[in-house]
Amino acid sequence: MRFGSIVTSVRNTELFNEQIRVYPNPVTEKLLINSKAGTSITITLFDFSGKQLTTFISNSTVATLDMTKYPAGTYVVRIEDKSKKLVGRKVIVKQ
């Protein structure tokens, strides 16, 4: 499975990963993405086959993703900041 990312700097990616929190996992309703990155982030949701389901930009420190419209399963959340630092998180929807 490929989500179109190339890690160019492990140190920067690890630092960015520490600034992002995705919870609760597993999720039943609202998935919260808490960002301390201090910049807007692009959030993209994929199903486990790699199909892009939604994408949006958040300028807030806490973004909300409504997971009630998706069936139970495993999803991947891709989060990027303006400099294309990337974090991917596996999210399990349990209904």
Side-chain angles (χ1 to χ4, degrees), residues 5-10 13 86:
S5 64
I6 299 172
V7 176
T8 57
S9 172
V10 173
T13 301
L86 172 69

Side-chain angles (χ1 to χ4, degrees), residues 10 29 37 39 46 48 52-53 62-63 71 73 75 78:
V10 173
E29 294 178 6
T39 181
F46 298 91
F48 210 63
Q52 181 176 324
L53 302 174
V62 179
Y75 296 86
R78 181 176 71 185

Side-chain angles (χ1 to χ4, degrees), residues 61-92:
T61 57
V62 179
T64 303
L65 185 55
D66 181 7
M67 298 298 289
T68 60
K69 55 187 160 188
Y70 303 109
T74 303
Y75 296 86
V76 174
V77 178
R78 181 176 71 185
I79 303 162
E80 289 180 308
D81 71 357
K82 289 181 181 179
S83 64
K84 300 296 179 188
K85 293 178 188 167
L86 172 69
V87 60
R89 300 270 196 236
K90 179 174 77 170
V91 176
I92 299 168

